[in-house]
Amino acid sequence: MPRRQGATYVATPLAALLLAICANSAHAGSTSIGGSVTFERMPDDFDASKSTDWELDASHTFDNHFIIGAAVKYYDTSSSPDHNTNVQGSIGYTHDFGTFALTGSTGIGQHFISSDDSTSFTYYFFTIAADIPISSTIVWNAVSLRYRNAFDTANDYNTPEVATGVTLRLDEHNSVSLRLERDWKDEVPSYTAVELGYKYRF
């Protein structure tokens, strides 16, 4: 699929998803917008940088606990002119068991590659996360698991991730988070990362 055609194929439903998030923000449920920066370190040398990633995201959680979301993530590879961008949308569901909350989601995205000899491709992903409230202001994001792969496996995007972290609720609307991540590619460790995030909920 040509790069421009692939971008249109994914960008159109994602634009509709973002409009749906904004439209539903005035109805039941809650909407969150946020951003994060991730510092990727080499898998066998935490002192060595692999990439710095920047992400913007938005989501709407309905009163029936279903979630729709969209995100754009930019990957700036260290010591290289290459950079990549992911644009994706998702749908999920969360259930609060009282002592912890479990959230699962699935979605599709488009991976854009800066290299002239490369083309963009479409991928899919599944996530599941468990969050445990420690107090009224602190939530332990105990575990987050992701499976991600390209629809065409020739694009070599088998990139699972496991993460853990903590979220600090500053007030009713604002929160900050810290996550530790470990990623693999084709069953080989790809990087260890530290992510700093911020969300505004309304």
Side-chain angles (χ1 to χ4, degrees), residues 3-4 16 19 21 27 41 82-83 87 94 116 118 129 147 158-159 161-163 168 176 180 186-187 192 196:
R3 182 179 303 183
R4 185 172 298 176
L19 288 174
I21 292 172
H27 300 290
R41 318 304 294 179
D82 294 341
H83 56 269
V87 181
T94 186
D116 293 336
S118 300
Y147 177 76
N158 182 4
T159 51
E161 178 186 89
V162 60
L168 175 63
V176 292
L180 297 178
D186 298 327
E187 301 181 359
T192 302
L196 304 176

Side-chain angles (χ1 to χ4, degrees), residues 11 17-19 39 47 52 65 73 82-84 87 89 99 110 126 135 137 141 148 152 154 160 184 195 198 200:
L17 184 60
L18 281 171
L19 288 174
F39 304 98
D47 290 333
T52 301
H65 308 298
K73 190 168 187 176
D82 294 341
H83 56 269
N84 305 316
V87 181
T99 55
Q110 191 79 6
F126 304 96
S135 69
T137 58
N141 311 121
R148 184 176 63 186
D152 181 355
W184 289 260
E195 178 190 282
Y198 165 78
Y200 180 79

Side-chain angles (χ1 to χ4, degrees), residues 135-139 166-177 197-201:
S135 69
S136 60
T137 58
I138 300 174
V139 177
V166 63
T167 296
L168 175 63
R169 294 170 177 161
L170 303 177
D171 54 35
E172 181 182 357
H173 301 289
N174 300 278
S175 64
V176 292
S177 61
Y198 165 78
K199 284 192 181 298
Y200 180 79
R201 182 173 176 267

Side-chain angles (χ1 to χ4, degrees), residues 20-32 59-68 94 172-173 200-202:
I21 292 172
C22 295
N24 279 291
S25 63
H27 300 290
S30 64
T31 298
S32 295
S59 65
H60 182 81
T61 303
F62 297 92
D63 276 349
N64 60 6
H65 308 298
F66 279 94
I67 306 165
I68 55 174
T94 186
E172 181 182 357
H173 301 289
Y200 180 79
R201 182 173 176 267
F202 57 96

Side-chain angles (χ1 to χ4, degrees), residues 132-146:
I132 301 173
I134 304 301
S135 69
S136 60
T137 58
I138 300 174
V139 177
W140 177 29
N141 311 121
V143 64
S144 175
L145 305 174
R146 182 197 70 202

Side-chain angles (χ1 to χ4, degrees), residues 5-118:
Q5 182 180 351
T8 303
Y9 174 76
V10 172
T12 300
L14 286 182
L17 184 60
L18 281 171
L19 288 174
I21 292 172
C22 295
N24 279 291
S25 63
H27 300 290
S30 64
T31 298
S32 295
I33 57 174
S36 64
V37 56
T38 304
F39 304 98
E40 295 183 14
R41 318 304 294 179
M42 298 300 291
D44 54 354
D45 184 2
F46 195 78
D47 290 333
S49 173
K50 181 175 182 180
S51 178
T52 301
D53 314 332
W54 304 85
E55 181 176 88
L56 294 175
D57 61 82
S59 65
H60 182 81
T61 303
F62 297 92
D63 276 349
N64 60 6
H65 308 298
F66 279 94
I67 306 165
I68 55 174
V72 177
K73 190 168 187 176
Y74 173 80
Y75 300 81
D76 187 9
T77 305
S78 301
S79 305
S80 170
D82 294 341
H83 56 269
N84 305 316
T85 303
N86 281 359
V87 181
Q88 65 185 38
S90 64
I91 183 170
Y93 181 81
T94 186
H95 185 80
D96 191 344
F97 291 91
T99 55
F100 71 98
L102 197 62
T103 303
S105 67
T106 184
I108 62 169
Q110 191 79 6
H111 183 71
F112 299 94
I113 305 173
S114 65
S115 303
D116 293 336
D117 59 347
S118 300

